[in-house]
Amino acid sequence: MSHKHPTFLRRARLAPLAAAAALIAATSGVALAQTTVVNVDQVSNGTVTAPNITSGQINSFPGSGVVTVAPITAQAIGNEHEIANGAQAALTINTQPLAQPTVTVVQQVTGVVSGTTSTNIGINANNVQGNHDGDSASVSGNQASSEAIGSTSVGTMLITGTAVDVNSATTTSVTQEVAANAPISALTDLTRVGIRLNQTGGNAMNNLSLSVAGNQVDSSAQANATQAGIRVDASSVNIGADTSSTVNQQAAGNVTADSNVNLVGIRVLGTPALAVTDSQLGVSSNSVQAAAGGNQQTSVLQINAAGDVVQTGVTGLTNSATQTSTGLIDASSTVTTLGIDNQKPGSANNRYSVSGNDVGAQANGNSGSNRTAIAATGAITGAQLETSNTQTIGGSVSANAQVTSHLGVQTEDSTNDALTVSANRVDAQAQGSSASNQTRAGASDISGSLASTSNTQTHAGGAVSANASALGIGSSSTSLSGGSLTVSGNQLSAEATAASVSNDALLGADNAVTQSVATVSNTQFHLAGDVQANARSSVVGANTDSASNAALVVSGNQFSATAASQKADNLARVNATNGVSDSGAVIFSVQGHVAGDVNATVAGSASTSPAPNPDPMLIGLRSAAASGGNLTVSGNQGGSDATINQVDNQVALSGSRIDGNSAAYLINVQAVQSGNAQALTKVNLGVDGTSTLTPVTTRSGGHELVVSDNKFSSNASQNQATNALDISATSTLSANTAQPNLLGNLQLSAGNTTATTEMQILSGSSQASDPSGNTTITGNQASSLARANVANNQLNITAGTMASDQLAVLGNVQGNTGAVNSTASLQMQGSAANRLDGNISSSGNQVLAVAAGNTSLNSVRVSAGTALNSGTGVVLLNEQNNGGNVVATASLNADAFTRGGSLNLSGNTVSATAVGNNAENVVNVSALPGQQMASAVLTSNQVNSGNVTAAVNGSFNASGTASTSGINVSGNRSSAVAIGNRATSSMTLGVQ
C-alpha cells in the first residue's frame, strides 16, 4: 500500500505557505529576490544630558591611608549603534551564497548632547589640629571624566567561506549628521585632585609623607564617530560585482571639551606660624586631558585569501569617505596649580618632587583612517582597488593646554629643601583635517591590477590654533636658602596644522607584477584662516626674591611650537622579487594656499605693547640677589617652525628585473598666493632681576654660573618638498621603447617669510665688597632659517647588470616674489657697569642666520653593473626666479668685563648668509669601461631681481682691571655672505 500523499493534498497543504509568502511580499513592497540587509536609522531630536556631581573626597586628615574611589564619569550619547556581544560585525555571513548583502546606518542629531562631571577627589581637611608628626596620606589611581557623543556607530560586514563568489553588490554605508543647532559638549570640572591640609591648631606637621599619583581627569566630545568596512576571509575570492564601503559625515554644531582643575597636587596652609619640616611630598604621573572632534571614522575594506583573488567585474573594491566640519571645535585643559603649594611660613629639610605629570588638549575637525587591501597567498588578477578621502573644514579648531599659575613647587621661605621638577609635559595639538589613506595588494603574482589612493582636503575657513603654556615651571618661593633644585626634562609643545595626510599605494609580489599600476593623487587647498602655535612660559627654573647657597640645575628642557597649513606624506611603490613588467608607480600632489598667515612662537607668557610682541622666556633664576651656591643652565632646546606647504613624496619600482613599458612618475606642485610664514623664538638664559627696580641680579658670595650647550632656533618657509623617485633592478632594466621616468617639482610663493631667534644670556653683576664666583658661557647656539621655497629632488635608476632605453628626466621650477627675513641674535649683556668677579669664559658660542628665496638640491644618478645601452638618457633642468628681498642678520655680543680673575673670549662665531637663488645640481652616469652609451644634459637657469643683504653685528670686547690675571681674546669669527644667484653643477660620466 502506498503511503504517498495525493497530489491535491500536497498542493492543499502548500497553499497557506504560498499565501503567506505573497502577503509578506505585498506588505513589504519588496520582490522575493533574495537579499541580506541590515538597516539602522536613528534620529536624536531632544536634549541629552548626563550630569554627575558625585563627591570623591574625605574632609579629614586620616593620618594614614589611601584615597582611591570608583571612577566618576558622565556619558551622554545622542545615537549609538553597536554590534551584539560576541559578534564580529554588524552583518556576518559564513559559508553562504551572497545575496546583495547590505549594511546601512543613518544617524542624525538635532538636539543638545552634554556630559558634565563636577566633583572633588582626595582629601580636603579644613580643620587640622593635634599632633600629625609622621603621618602619611595618598591619593592615587582616581579618575574623573565626561564624554559627549553626537552619534557613534559600527557599520561593518564579515564574509567567510572557502571559495567566495562576490557576484552581487556588496556594500556598507554610514551617514551621520549633527545639525548646527546641536552643540556637543563635555565638561569635567574639579576644585581639586589631591590633598589640601588647612592647619588651625596643634603642633607642627613634621615628617609627613604625602603623595598624589596616577590620577586622571579628562573630557571628550565628539560629533560623529564610526567604524565601517567589509572583510572577506576565504581560500579564494572572485569579485564579480561592486564591493564598496562608504562613509559620509557632517558636523555643523559646535563641539567643546573642557577639563578644569584648580589644584592637582598638594596644598598645605593654616594660621599657626609653624613650618613644615623633614617631610616628603610627591606629585607624579597625573594627567589632565581634553579632546574634541568633529568627525572621526575608520573604514577598512580587506580581502584575505589563502589562494587566488580574481576580479571579473568592472568597479572592483571601493572605499570612500567624506567628512565636513563647519562648527567650532575646541578642546581646553586648564590647571591652576599643578604640583605642591606649601603656604606655611617656612619649609625646611623637605623633599619635594613633581614629575611625570601631563596636561594636554587635542582638537580635530576631521579625522579619518581608510584602508583598501588584498592579501593573497596565490595570485591577484584584474583587481581594482580604490581608496578615496574627501575632507572639508569651515570652522575654527583650537586646542589649549595651560597651567595658569605654577607647575612645580611653591613655598614661602625654603631652607635646605631638595626640590625636583622633572619630565612634566604641557601639550596642545590642533588639526583641521587629518587622514591616513592606504591601498595595498600583496600576493605571489599580481597582474592587470590597480591600486589607487586619492585625497582631497579643503580648508574653507576658520583659524586653527594650539596654545601650550605654563606661567612658571620649577620653583617659586619668597626665599631659597641652601638645598637644591633640579628642573629637567620638562616639555612644552604646541602643534597646529590645517590639513595633514599620509597616502600610500603599494603593489608587492613574491614573484612578478605585470601590467599593474600604483597611483597616489593628493590635492590640498587652504582658502582662508590663520594657523598659529604658541608655547609660552615666563620662568623655567627658580623664581624667588633671594637665593643663597643653593645648587640650582635647569637642564634638558624642551620647548617647541610647530605650525603648518598643509602637510602630506605620499608613497607609491611597486616591487616584485622576480620582476616588474609593463607596470608603473605614479604620484601627483598639489598643495595650494590662497590666504591666511602661519605663525609659530616660543616665548614668555606676557606680551609688550604693541602686540603681538611677547616677552622672552627666562630659563634659569629670577631673583634680585644670588649669594653663594651655583646655577647651571645646560642642554635646553627650543624651536619655532612655521611652514605653509610641506610634502614628502616617494615613488619606487624594484625587482630582480624591470622591463616592458614600466615607468615611474612623480609630479609635485605647491603654490602660495598670499599668506605669511613667521617663526619667533625669544629666550633669556641665566640670572635675571625681579622688576624694573632690580633689573639685574646681584651675584655675591662666590656664586657661580654656567650656561652651556643650549640651542634655540626658528625656521620658516612657504613651500618645502622632498621628492624621491627610485627605480632599482638587481639584474636587467630595459624597455620596449625609450621609456621616460619623470620627476617634476613646481613651487611658487608670494607671501613673506620671517624667522627670528632672540637669545640673551644674563650673567648679572657683582660688587667688589662681596664678589661673585666664576662665570662660564659655552657651546650655546642661536639660529634662524628662512627660505621661501625648498626642494630636495632625487632621481635614481640602478641596474645590477644591463640598462637600456631608460630616460631619466628631472625638472625643478621655483619662483618667489615675497620678502624673506632671517634674524638671529645672541646677546651676553656684559658691560662696564655690571662687572663680574672670578674667572669669565665665553667660548664656542654660535649665531647663524640663513635666508634664501629659492633653494634646491637636484640629483640624477643612473648606473648599470655592466652596460648602459643606447636609448638611455639623462636630463636635469633647474629654473629659479626670485623677485623678493632677502635679508639675513646675525648679531653676537660677547663682551665681558671682569674685576679680577681671568677672562677668556675664544672660538665664538657669528655668520649671516643670504641667497636669492641657490641650487646644487648633480648628474652621475656610470657603467663598465666602454659600455656607457647614455646621453646627458644639465641645464640651470637662475634670475634674481630682489635685493639680497647679509649683515653681521659682532662685538668681542674684553676689559679687566689691574688685578685681572689674564685676558685671552682669540679665534672669534664673523662672516656675512650675500649672493644673488648661486649654483654648483657637476656631471660625471664614469665607470663603476
PDB file of all heavy atoms in Angstrom, residues 956-985:
ATOM      1  N   PHE A 956      83.372  91.661  20.455  1.00  0.00           N
ATOM      2  CA  PHE A 956      84.167  90.771  21.308  1.00  0.00           C
ATOM      3  C   PHE A 956      85.106  91.605  22.186  1.00  0.00           C
ATOM      4  O   PHE A 956      86.316  91.430  22.197  1.00  0.00           O
ATOM      5  CB  PHE A 956      84.984  89.787  20.458  1.00  0.00           C
ATOM      6  CG  PHE A 956      84.153  89.029  19.454  1.00  0.00           C
ATOM      7  CD1 PHE A 956      84.121  89.412  18.124  1.00  0.00           C
ATOM      8  CD2 PHE A 956      83.400  87.939  19.851  1.00  0.00           C
ATOM      9  CE1 PHE A 956      83.360  88.722  17.203  1.00  0.00           C
ATOM     10  CE2 PHE A 956      82.637  87.242  18.931  1.00  0.00           C
ATOM     11  CZ  PHE A 956      82.610  87.628  17.611  1.00  0.00           C
ATOM     12  N   ASN A 957      84.525  92.541  22.922  1.00  0.00           N
ATOM     13  CA  ASN A 957      85.316  93.420  23.763  1.00  0.00           C
ATOM     14  C   ASN A 957      85.587  92.774  25.120  1.00  0.00           C
ATOM     15  O   ASN A 957      84.694  92.165  25.722  1.00  0.00           O
ATOM     16  CB  ASN A 957      84.588  94.746  23.978  1.00  0.00           C
ATOM     17  CG  ASN A 957      84.443  95.525  22.674  1.00  0.00           C
ATOM     18  OD1 ASN A 957      85.390  95.624  21.907  1.00  0.00           O
ATOM     19  ND2 ASN A 957      83.247  96.061  22.433  1.00  0.00           N
ATOM     20  N   ALA A 958      86.801  92.902  25.591  1.00  0.00           N
ATOM     21  CA  ALA A 958      87.199  92.362  26.890  1.00  0.00           C
ATOM     22  C   ALA A 958      87.862  93.456  27.696  1.00  0.00           C
ATOM     23  O   ALA A 958      88.694  94.209  27.192  1.00  0.00           O
ATOM     24  CB  ALA A 958      88.158  91.182  26.714  1.00  0.00           C
ATOM     25  N   SER A 959      87.458  93.555  28.967  1.00  0.00           N
ATOM     26  CA  SER A 959      88.002  94.610  29.823  1.00  0.00           C
ATOM     27  C   SER A 959      88.261  94.048  31.208  1.00  0.00           C
ATOM     28  O   SER A 959      87.398  93.374  31.788  1.00  0.00           O
ATOM     29  CB  SER A 959      87.026  95.782  29.907  1.00  0.00           C
ATOM     30  OG  SER A 959      87.454  96.725  30.849  1.00  0.00           O
ATOM     31  N   GLY A 960      89.458  94.314  31.715  1.00  0.00           N
ATOM     32  CA  GLY A 960      89.806  93.882  33.060  1.00  0.00           C
ATOM     33  C   GLY A 960      90.321  95.039  33.888  1.00  0.00           C
ATOM     34  O   GLY A 960      90.217  96.203  33.495  1.00  0.00           O
ATOM     35  N   THR A 961      90.856  94.716  35.034  1.00  0.00           N
ATOM     36  CA  THR A 961      91.451  95.716  35.927  1.00  0.00           C
ATOM     37  C   THR A 961      92.876  95.283  36.224  1.00  0.00           C
ATOM     38  O   THR A 961      93.371  94.280  35.701  1.00  0.00           O
ATOM     39  CB  THR A 961      90.636  95.813  37.225  1.00  0.00           C
ATOM     40  OG1 THR A 961      90.691  94.559  37.913  1.00  0.00           O
ATOM     41  CG2 THR A 961      89.184  96.170  36.933  1.00  0.00           C
ATOM     42  N   ALA A 962      93.497  96.044  37.085  1.00  0.00           N
ATOM     43  CA  ALA A 962      94.889  95.735  37.428  1.00  0.00           C
ATOM     44  C   ALA A 962      95.038  94.361  38.070  1.00  0.00           C
ATOM     45  O   ALA A 962      96.077  93.706  37.956  1.00  0.00           O
ATOM     46  CB  ALA A 962      95.443  96.811  38.364  1.00  0.00           C
ATOM     47  N   SER A 963      93.979  93.886  38.720  1.00  0.00           N
ATOM     48  CA  SER A 963      94.062  92.583  39.384  1.00  0.00           C
ATOM     49  C   SER A 963      93.692  91.419  38.486  1.00  0.00           C
ATOM     50  O   SER A 963      93.740  90.258  38.915  1.00  0.00           O
ATOM     51  CB  SER A 963      93.144  92.576  40.615  1.00  0.00           C
ATOM     52  OG  SER A 963      91.797  92.796  40.230  1.00  0.00           O
ATOM     53  N   THR A 964      93.301  91.697  37.245  1.00  0.00           N
ATOM     54  CA  THR A 964      92.950  90.619  36.321  1.00  0.00           C
ATOM     55  C   THR A 964      94.201  89.821  35.969  1.00  0.00           C
ATOM     56  O   THR A 964      95.230  90.387  35.577  1.00  0.00           O
ATOM     57  CB  THR A 964      92.320  91.203  35.050  1.00  0.00           C
ATOM     58  OG1 THR A 964      91.145  91.940  35.406  1.00  0.00           O
ATOM     59  CG2 THR A 964      91.950  90.094  34.080  1.00  0.00           C
ATOM     60  N   SER A 965      94.091  88.494  36.089  1.00  0.00           N
ATOM     61  CA  SER A 965      95.267  87.647  35.900  1.00  0.00           C
ATOM     62  C   SER A 965      95.609  87.428  34.435  1.00  0.00           C
ATOM     63  O   SER A 965      96.746  87.114  34.107  1.00  0.00           O
ATOM     64  CB  SER A 965      95.047  86.294  36.576  1.00  0.00           C
ATOM     65  OG  SER A 965      93.906  85.637  36.044  1.00  0.00           O
ATOM     66  N   GLY A 966      94.643  87.532  33.528  1.00  0.00           N
ATOM     67  CA  GLY A 966      94.950  87.343  32.114  1.00  0.00           C
ATOM     68  C   GLY A 966      93.718  87.518  31.262  1.00  0.00           C
ATOM     69  O   GLY A 966      92.602  87.210  31.689  1.00  0.00           O
ATOM     70  N   ILE A 967      93.932  88.021  30.051  1.00  0.00           N
ATOM     71  CA  ILE A 967      92.835  88.210  29.108  1.00  0.00           C
ATOM     72  C   ILE A 967      93.208  87.533  27.796  1.00  0.00           C
ATOM     73  O   ILE A 967      94.287  87.781  27.245  1.00  0.00           O
ATOM     74  CB  ILE A 967      92.539  89.695  28.870  1.00  0.00           C
ATOM     75  CG1 ILE A 967      92.051  90.363  30.162  1.00  0.00           C
ATOM     76  CG2 ILE A 967      91.499  89.867  27.773  1.00  0.00           C
ATOM     77  CD1 ILE A 967      91.791  91.846  30.009  1.00  0.00           C
ATOM     78  N   ASN A 968      92.323  86.670  27.306  1.00  0.00           N
ATOM     79  CA  ASN A 968      92.534  85.989  26.033  1.00  0.00           C
ATOM     80  C   ASN A 968      91.339  86.233  25.130  1.00  0.00           C
ATOM     81  O   ASN A 968      90.210  85.859  25.447  1.00  0.00           O
ATOM     82  CB  ASN A 968      92.715  84.481  26.245  1.00  0.00           C
ATOM     83  CG  ASN A 968      92.779  83.726  24.929  1.00  0.00           C
ATOM     84  OD1 ASN A 968      93.406  84.182  23.974  1.00  0.00           O
ATOM     85  ND2 ASN A 968      92.104  82.582  24.869  1.00  0.00           N
ATOM     86  N   VAL A 969      91.585  86.904  24.023  1.00  0.00           N
ATOM     87  CA  VAL A 969      90.564  87.105  23.009  1.00  0.00           C
ATOM     88  C   VAL A 969      91.127  86.557  21.708  1.00  0.00           C
ATOM     89  O   VAL A 969      92.027  87.158  21.112  1.00  0.00           O
ATOM     90  CB  VAL A 969      90.185  88.590  22.853  1.00  0.00           C
ATOM     91  CG1 VAL A 969      89.115  88.751  21.780  1.00  0.00           C
ATOM     92  CG2 VAL A 969      89.714  89.171  24.180  1.00  0.00           C
ATOM     93  N   SER A 970      90.591  85.371  21.264  1.00  0.00           N
ATOM     94  CA  SER A 970      91.186  84.719  20.103  1.00  0.00           C
ATOM     95  C   SER A 970      90.165  83.809  19.420  1.00  0.00           C
ATOM     96  O   SER A 970      89.229  83.303  20.046  1.00  0.00           O
ATOM     97  CB  SER A 970      92.413  83.896  20.514  1.00  0.00           C
ATOM     98  OG  SER A 970      92.040  82.843  21.389  1.00  0.00           O
ATOM     99  N   GLY A 971      90.369  83.601  18.148  1.00  0.00           N
ATOM    100  CA  GLY A 971      89.587  82.627  17.391  1.00  0.00           C
ATOM    101  C   GLY A 971      88.132  82.962  17.203  1.00  0.00           C
ATOM    102  O   GLY A 971      87.343  82.084  16.821  1.00  0.00           O
ATOM    103  N   ASN A 972      87.757  84.190  17.452  1.00  0.00           N
ATOM    104  CA  ASN A 972      86.373  84.587  17.213  1.00  0.00           C
ATOM    105  C   ASN A 972      86.219  84.976  15.747  1.00  0.00           C
ATOM    106  O   ASN A 972      87.079  85.649  15.176  1.00  0.00           O
ATOM    107  CB  ASN A 972      86.002  85.762  18.113  1.00  0.00           C
ATOM    108  CG  ASN A 972      86.150  85.410  19.573  1.00  0.00           C
ATOM    109  OD1 ASN A 972      85.426  84.582  20.109  1.00  0.00           O
ATOM    110  ND2 ASN A 972      87.129  86.049  20.241  1.00  0.00           N
ATOM    111  N   ARG A 973      85.121  84.543  15.153  1.00  0.00           N
ATOM    112  CA  ARG A 973      84.958  84.764  13.727  1.00  0.00           C
ATOM    113  C   ARG A 973      83.598  85.353  13.409  1.00  0.00           C
ATOM    114  O   ARG A 973      82.605  85.044  14.074  1.00  0.00           O
ATOM    115  CB  ARG A 973      85.129  83.438  12.966  1.00  0.00           C
ATOM    116  CG  ARG A 973      86.537  82.850  13.021  1.00  0.00           C
ATOM    117  CD  ARG A 973      86.554  81.484  12.361  1.00  0.00           C
ATOM    118  NE  ARG A 973      85.707  80.531  13.065  1.00  0.00           N
ATOM    119  CZ  ARG A 973      85.339  79.358  12.567  1.00  0.00           C
ATOM    120  NH1 ARG A 973      85.701  79.022  11.340  1.00  0.00           N
ATOM    121  NH2 ARG A 973      84.587  78.538  13.279  1.00  0.00           N
ATOM    122  N   SER A 974      83.566  86.149  12.367  1.00  0.00           N
ATOM    123  CA  SER A 974      82.300  86.685  11.872  1.00  0.00           C
ATOM    124  C   SER A 974      82.336  86.697  10.360  1.00  0.00           C
ATOM    125  O   SER A 974      83.394  86.927   9.754  1.00  0.00           O
ATOM    126  CB  SER A 974      82.054  88.096  12.418  1.00  0.00           C
ATOM    127  OG  SER A 974      83.052  88.985  11.958  1.00  0.00           O
ATOM    128  N   SER A 975      81.189  86.422   9.741  1.00  0.00           N
ATOM    129  CA  SER A 975      81.145  86.419   8.283  1.00  0.00           C
ATOM    130  C   SER A 975      79.769  86.827   7.803  1.00  0.00           C
ATOM    131  O   SER A 975      78.756  86.493   8.425  1.00  0.00           O
ATOM    132  CB  SER A 975      81.505  85.033   7.727  1.00  0.00           C
ATOM    133  OG  SER A 975      80.505  84.086   8.065  1.00  0.00           O
ATOM    134  N   ALA A 976      79.741  87.541   6.707  1.00  0.00           N
ATOM    135  CA  ALA A 976      78.500  87.932   6.053  1.00  0.00           C
ATOM    136  C   ALA A 976      78.647  87.629   4.575  1.00  0.00           C
ATOM    137  O   ALA A 976      79.596  88.093   3.930  1.00  0.00           O
ATOM    138  CB  ALA A 976      78.211  89.410   6.273  1.00  0.00           C
ATOM    139  N   VAL A 977      77.725  86.848   4.036  1.00  0.00           N
ATOM    140  CA  VAL A 977      77.787  86.435   2.634  1.00  0.00           C
ATOM    141  C   VAL A 977      76.437  86.714   1.993  1.00  0.00           C
ATOM    142  O   VAL A 977      75.402  86.221   2.469  1.00  0.00           O
ATOM    143  CB  VAL A 977      78.135  84.936   2.510  1.00  0.00           C
ATOM    144  CG1 VAL A 977      78.131  84.526   1.043  1.00  0.00           C
ATOM    145  CG2 VAL A 977      79.481  84.639   3.155  1.00  0.00           C
ATOM    146  N   ALA A 978      76.449  87.500   0.942  1.00  0.00           N
ATOM    147  CA  ALA A 978      75.231  87.787   0.188  1.00  0.00           C
ATOM    148  C   ALA A 978      75.473  87.423  -1.275  1.00  0.00           C
ATOM    149  O   ALA A 978      76.454  87.873  -1.878  1.00  0.00           O
ATOM    150  CB  ALA A 978      74.843  89.246   0.317  1.00  0.00           C
ATOM    151  N   ILE A 979      74.597  86.603  -1.836  1.00  0.00           N
ATOM    152  CA  ILE A 979      74.750  86.128  -3.213  1.00  0.00           C
ATOM    153  C   ILE A 979      73.401  86.215  -3.911  1.00  0.00           C
ATOM    154  O   ILE A 979      72.385  85.748  -3.380  1.00  0.00           O
ATOM    155  CB  ILE A 979      75.255  84.672  -3.249  1.00  0.00           C
ATOM    156  CG1 ILE A 979      76.604  84.543  -2.511  1.00  0.00           C
ATOM    157  CG2 ILE A 979      75.381  84.179  -4.676  1.00  0.00           C
ATOM    158  CD1 ILE A 979      77.078  83.108  -2.389  1.00  0.00           C
ATOM    159  N   GLY A 980      73.391  86.796  -5.083  1.00  0.00           N
ATOM    160  CA  GLY A 980      72.160  86.843  -5.855  1.00  0.00           C
ATOM    161  C   GLY A 980      71.779  85.469  -6.367  1.00  0.00           C
ATOM    162  O   GLY A 980      70.715  84.938  -6.054  1.00  0.00           O
ATOM    163  N   ASN A 981      72.666  84.861  -7.165  1.00  0.00           N
ATOM    164  CA  ASN A 981      72.450  83.518  -7.686  1.00  0.00           C
ATOM    165  C   ASN A 981      73.664  82.656  -7.371  1.00  0.00           C
ATOM    166  O   ASN A 981      74.805  83.077  -7.588  1.00  0.00           O
ATOM    167  CB  ASN A 981      72.247  83.546  -9.209  1.00  0.00           C
ATOM    168  CG  ASN A 981      71.004  84.302  -9.604  1.00  0.00           C
ATOM    169  OD1 ASN A 981      69.915  84.004  -9.139  1.00  0.00           O
ATOM    170  ND2 ASN A 981      71.175  85.306 -10.470  1.00  0.00           N
ATOM    171  N   ARG A 982      73.398  81.482  -6.880  1.00  0.00           N
ATOM    172  CA  ARG A 982      74.488  80.542  -6.575  1.00  0.00           C
ATOM    173  C   ARG A 982      74.094  79.165  -7.086  1.00  0.00           C
ATOM    174  O   ARG A 982      73.000  78.671  -6.805  1.00  0.00           O
ATOM    175  CB  ARG A 982      74.756  80.471  -5.074  1.00  0.00           C
ATOM    176  CG  ARG A 982      75.853  79.492  -4.682  1.00  0.00           C
ATOM    177  CD  ARG A 982      76.038  79.438  -3.171  1.00  0.00           C
ATOM    178  NE  ARG A 982      77.113  78.546  -2.792  1.00  0.00           N
ATOM    179  CZ  ARG A 982      76.969  77.233  -2.598  1.00  0.00           C
ATOM    180  NH1 ARG A 982      75.770  76.673  -2.746  1.00  0.00           N
ATOM    181  NH2 ARG A 982      78.007  76.482  -2.255  1.00  0.00           N
ATOM    182  N   ALA A 983      74.986  78.538  -7.842  1.00  0.00           N
ATOM    183  CA  ALA A 983      74.731  77.195  -8.345  1.00  0.00           C
ATOM    184  C   ALA A 983      76.033  76.419  -8.383  1.00  0.00           C
ATOM    185  O   ALA A 983      77.088  76.961  -8.758  1.00  0.00           O
ATOM    186  CB  ALA A 983      74.108  77.236  -9.730  1.00  0.00           C
ATOM    187  N   THR A 984      75.973  75.190  -7.975  1.00  0.00           N
ATOM    188  CA  THR A 984      77.081  74.256  -8.163  1.00  0.00           C
ATOM    189  C   THR A 984      76.543  73.103  -8.998  1.00  0.00           C
ATOM    190  O   THR A 984      75.560  72.464  -8.630  1.00  0.00           O
ATOM    191  CB  THR A 984      77.625  73.739  -6.823  1.00  0.00           C
ATOM    192  OG1 THR A 984      76.575  73.071  -6.119  1.00  0.00           O
ATOM    193  CG2 THR A 984      78.146  74.871  -5.966  1.00  0.00           C
ATOM    194  N   SER A 985      77.186  72.865 -10.113  1.00  0.00           N
ATOM    195  CA  SER A 985      76.727  71.832 -11.029  1.00  0.00           C
ATOM    196  C   SER A 985      77.864  70.884 -11.343  1.00  0.00           C
ATOM    197  O   SER A 985      78.998  71.308 -11.577  1.00  0.00           O
ATOM    198  CB  SER A 985      76.204  72.450 -12.334  1.00  0.00           C
ATOM    199  OG  SER A 985      75.097  73.296 -12.070  1.00  0.00           O
TER     200      SER A 985
END
